[in-house]
Amino acid sequence: MRIPSTLSRTVGPLLLRRAGRNGIDLRTLRFLPASITLPVRRVGVDPLPALGRIREEEPVRRLTTLFGKGIWLVSGYDEARTVLGDAASWSNDLGQFVSQDGRGDSEQIGGLGMTDAPLHTELRRCLTPEFTRRRLARLAPRIDEIVEARLEAVAAAGPEVDLVAEYAFPVPFEVICELLGLPVEDRDAFRALGAARFDLTQGGAGVFGAAAETREFLIDAVARQRAAPGDGLIGALLRDHGDRLDDVTLGGMADGVFLGGYETSASMIALGAYLLAGSPEALQRLRGSDDDVDAVVEEMLRHLTVVQIAFLRFARHDLELGGRTIREGDCVGVSLLAADRDRRLTGGDDRFDPAREPGRHLAFGWGMHRCLGAELARMELRAALRGLAHRFPDLAIAQDATTLPWRDLSAVYGVDALPVRLWPADPVPQAPAAARSRLSVRAAAGALRR
């Protein structure tokens, strides 16, 4: 696929060097109003009750006015699908709320989730071949190896261990580095740049500052590989599109993959383990058939919906939504979490139910901006959670849930530490750890390959 020359000449300027309009700049905000942060606050793994009440009473609600623009929350399932699926009425161009003047390359706003067609279409087309099931299948053996190695490390650190530090973060971190093709020597420096991307406690300033660091790291990684492209996604993009796209654009694309594929999977594994520890049925089903594993994973995705709010949308024209009039230029945040707990999707019971028939949840978004790496995320979750269920069938939380360090005000929800007990305090005599590791991890992981 060759990008038309007229488009390739405008990719960098349009995507990464757009000027802010109307003097609006979210980077200057040091805090966000409480009315805006409602959708990213939780009690444990559940949304605030107030969010559920808003969804039932007013699934499209005006929250406040910011910089003269109406700020709206969409929390109903049907209304959310309407917004996410209608790119003709809604723009994802965040440049109108973030000034680009005087910013370096790494500080510019870009990425698939913040661009519109035709630019979004062409950039996504560059990435799509790397995320087909056939291409991703090459990663399956490596994912199995990573999971098995981390299970060994967890067992060695037991009987009580912080599952976030020892498992939930290392597994997707190693996978995303393998996917991107980052050299081993770069990975320690890269590891520290993840969680801050989604932390809203410092307002817009903190988020955009952290984003600049990861983007700069990946721009540099592209530049280093340009002369000798590696085996991963960065190398593939350079070989296929390096003559038409510069380091800044390709680095931004790699950053989008990192943004969508690391922190989200880490949070899902950690919170998934939290649910497993309280659900013997889920643990049992994860030791069952592929269909049982798929059903548990899909229900976890729906119930947890760690990406709490979709990329912001901006009305292209005056329109009606859920009986409300939204004006041109108004900003809409779609609460994916609230939508996935809507009775119109769940039938009125939004509790975690590992036996639930999978439905059309919005954990990966919807429409043209649906997560490109959804299948990779599912591969990781199947392997990581199934491995836990086989290796530690008596997994239990070792700390009062109310005292766990739940991540406050983060666009991607999670927990910063998850102390767990791997086996009962007075365990039944069992085989040595090395023998236990051979029981079923490889076999179970192999069964997951489609």
Side-chain angles (χ1 to χ4, degrees), residues 26 40 59 71 113 140 147 216 229 242 267-268 317 359 367 392:
L26 290 179
V40 294
I71 309 297
V147 166
E216 182 176 9
S267 292
M268 271 301 304
H317 51 76
F392 307 115

Short mmCIF file of all heavy atoms in Angstrom, two decimals, residues 26 40 59 71 113 140 147 216 229 242 267-268 317 359 367 392:
data_model
loop_
_atom_site.label_atom_id
_atom_site.label_comp_id
_atom_site.label_asym_id
_atom_site.label_seq_id
_atom_site.Cartn_x
_atom_site.Cartn_y
_atom_site.Cartn_z
N LEU A 26 -5.60 22.54 26.83
CA LEU A 26 -5.77 21.69 28.00
C LEU A 26 -4.47 21.51 28.77
O LEU A 26 -4.50 21.12 29.94
CB LEU A 26 -6.33 20.32 27.58
CG LEU A 26 -7.77 20.30 27.10
CD1 LEU A 26 -8.15 18.88 26.69
CD2 LEU A 26 -8.72 20.81 28.15
N VAL A 40 -14.28 8.82 35.83
CA VAL A 40 -13.04 8.08 36.05
C VAL A 40 -12.78 7.84 37.53
O VAL A 40 -11.66 7.53 37.92
CB VAL A 40 -11.83 8.80 35.41
CG1 VAL A 40 -11.96 8.81 33.89
CG2 VAL A 40 -11.66 10.22 35.94
N PRO A 59 -29.06 9.67 30.21
CA PRO A 59 -27.90 9.05 29.59
C PRO A 59 -27.06 9.98 28.72
O PRO A 59 -25.94 9.64 28.36
CB PRO A 59 -28.51 7.92 28.75
CG PRO A 59 -29.94 8.30 28.57
CD PRO A 59 -30.34 9.06 29.78
N ILE A 71 -19.57 20.68 27.71
CA ILE A 71 -18.92 19.40 27.99
C ILE A 71 -20.00 18.42 28.40
O ILE A 71 -20.68 18.61 29.41
CB ILE A 71 -17.87 19.53 29.11
CG1 ILE A 71 -16.90 20.68 28.82
CG2 ILE A 71 -17.12 18.22 29.30
CD1 ILE A 71 -16.07 20.49 27.57
N GLY A 113 -6.28 7.69 17.69
CA GLY A 113 -7.49 8.04 18.44
C GLY A 113 -7.80 9.51 18.44
O GLY A 113 -8.88 9.91 18.88
N ALA A 140 2.36 -15.91 19.58
CA ALA A 140 1.77 -16.82 20.56
C ALA A 140 2.80 -17.63 21.33
O ALA A 140 2.73 -17.70 22.57
CB ALA A 140 0.75 -17.74 19.88
N VAL A 147 4.63 -15.80 29.87
CA VAL A 147 3.70 -16.15 30.95
C VAL A 147 4.30 -17.23 31.84
O VAL A 147 4.28 -17.13 33.07
CB VAL A 147 2.35 -16.62 30.36
CG1 VAL A 147 1.50 -17.31 31.42
CG2 VAL A 147 1.59 -15.44 29.77
N GLU A 216 8.88 10.76 22.67
CA GLU A 216 10.26 11.07 22.34
C GLU A 216 11.11 9.80 22.34
O GLU A 216 11.97 9.61 21.47
CB GLU A 216 10.82 12.07 23.35
CG GLU A 216 12.26 12.49 23.06
CD GLU A 216 12.75 13.56 24.02
OE1 GLU A 216 12.05 13.84 25.01
OE2 GLU A 216 13.85 14.10 23.77
N PRO A 229 16.43 -1.76 10.09
CA PRO A 229 15.15 -2.07 10.74
C PRO A 229 15.18 -3.43 11.43
O PRO A 229 15.72 -4.40 10.90
CB PRO A 229 14.15 -2.05 9.58
CG PRO A 229 14.77 -1.17 8.55
CD PRO A 229 16.25 -1.42 8.67
N GLY A 242 8.84 3.64 5.43
CA GLY A 242 9.88 4.56 5.86
C GLY A 242 10.30 5.57 4.83
O GLY A 242 10.81 6.65 5.16
N SER A 267 -3.48 -3.56 33.50
CA SER A 267 -4.59 -3.32 34.41
C SER A 267 -5.62 -4.45 34.35
O SER A 267 -6.17 -4.87 35.38
CB SER A 267 -5.26 -1.98 34.09
OG SER A 267 -4.40 -0.90 34.39
N MET A 268 -5.87 -4.96 33.15
CA MET A 268 -6.84 -6.05 33.00
C MET A 268 -6.35 -7.31 33.70
O MET A 268 -7.13 -8.03 34.34
CB MET A 268 -7.09 -6.34 31.53
CG MET A 268 -8.21 -5.53 30.90
SD MET A 268 -9.83 -5.76 31.70
CE MET A 268 -10.02 -7.55 31.60
N HIS A 317 -21.52 19.47 13.93
CA HIS A 317 -22.66 20.37 13.66
C HIS A 317 -23.66 20.20 14.79
O HIS A 317 -23.54 19.28 15.62
CB HIS A 317 -23.31 20.02 12.30
CG HIS A 317 -23.64 18.55 12.15
ND1 HIS A 317 -24.72 17.97 12.76
CD2 HIS A 317 -22.98 17.56 11.49
CE1 HIS A 317 -24.76 16.68 12.46
NE2 HIS A 317 -23.71 16.39 11.70
N GLY A 359 -21.57 -10.61 25.19
CA GLY A 359 -22.37 -9.65 24.44
C GLY A 359 -21.48 -8.65 23.72
O GLY A 359 -20.25 -8.76 23.73
N GLY A 367 -16.76 1.24 16.29
CA GLY A 367 -16.65 2.05 15.09
C GLY A 367 -15.23 2.12 14.56
O GLY A 367 -14.40 1.25 14.82
N PHE A 392 -2.26 -21.52 40.30
CA PHE A 392 -2.63 -21.10 41.65
C PHE A 392 -4.15 -21.18 41.83
O PHE A 392 -4.83 -20.14 41.92
CB PHE A 392 -2.12 -19.69 41.93
CG PHE A 392 -0.66 -19.50 41.65
CD1 PHE A 392 -0.24 -18.64 40.64
CD2 PHE A 392 0.30 -20.19 42.39
CE1 PHE A 392 1.12 -18.47 40.37
CE2 PHE A 392 1.65 -20.03 42.13
CZ PHE A 392 2.07 -19.17 41.13
#
